Amino acid sequence: MKPTDLRGILQYIPRFREQTFVISADGAVVSDVNFTNLLLDIAVLRSLNIRVVLVHGAGELIGQLARERGTTPSNLDGTGITDDETLELSVTAANRLTHEILEGLSVSDQRAASANAIISHPKGVIEGVDQQHAGRIERVDVSMLKTLLAEGIIPVMPPLGFDGEGNTFRLNSDAIALAVSEVLGAIKLIFISTTDGLKIEGKLVRQILSNDLEKALKDNAGIEAGQSSKARHAAKACAKGVPRVHLINGRVAEGLLAEVFSNEGIGTLIYANEYQQIR
């Protein structure tokens, strides 16, 4: 089925209408030339009354800004130590990307807003090492997100968290997407990266039960290092009630629509139980 075939899409509309999708795009995807097309795909979802929350990373731009300054960031993906300079780079990168996303969505007449809905606190000291400005998610401001969604506004969420004292913390975008999916009761969590999906022992997996994925993670069954975060958060999402999690390549034209509106898809589907193995 071609994603532009409206007759094929029609069968999915009753199932998805007024439901919530959480879409998490890596920083490398946001910086890619195809991201404009991805925003158009999101506009199509909104035109079908699908509620969308867009979470984005910033690692690619943080690295670029660091190279321009001749410095080395302490961490890129929000999972490790975040020193003062890396936090400054993170805020600069996140704000720039959020602004670009808001601009891109406005081109297709989509209403969107940057949301500081992640309340967080410092990770503190782990195994004797101060994580400095790296944060952990304390809670999600569900009321804010639901208010925006009810008004047809797309919440755009940077990889940052905030406390009640005016402090900002660097967070991992995968973790934010998981937390948001859980509290909003999302029916789909879609991780968008620059890989075609999840590979186990070098082979692309098209569909996998979350229990089997958890087993593979425990057994260290050849999951590539760059995909372990997505795999872990996907398995956790299914355990917390998200029926389907998708891992797709954001550089594929119309890839998001092809994944959502066809049985074959383009990437990897992780499903919570055997009744949800169809996209």
Side-chain angles (χ1 to χ4, degrees), residues 192-271:
I192 305 180
S193 67
T194 55
T195 61
D196 291 331
L198 179 64
K199 289 185 178 180
I200 298 179
E201 296 181 346
K203 295 182 180 179
L204 179 64
V205 176
R206 300 306 304 278
Q207 294 188 164
I208 185 171
L209 184 66
S210 60
N211 288 343
D212 293 337
L213 177 57
E214 288 179 0
K215 186 177 185 300
L217 286 164
K218 289 178 182 178
D219 296 342
N220 296 317
I223 295 176
E224 296 180 3
Q227 297 181 316
S228 61
S229 174
K230 298 285 187 296
R232 286 186 289 102
H233 286 90
K236 288 180 181 178
C238 289
K240 291 179 178 294
V242 180
R244 297 175 179 85
V245 182
H246 304 254
L247 278 63
I248 67 171
N249 190 336
R251 292 173 173 169
V252 177
E254 296 184 322
L256 177 58
L257 298 184
E259 178 68 17
V260 171
F261 294 118
S262 70
N263 288 334
E264 300 81 12
I266 66 161
T268 299
L269 168 68
I270 298 100
Y271 52 96

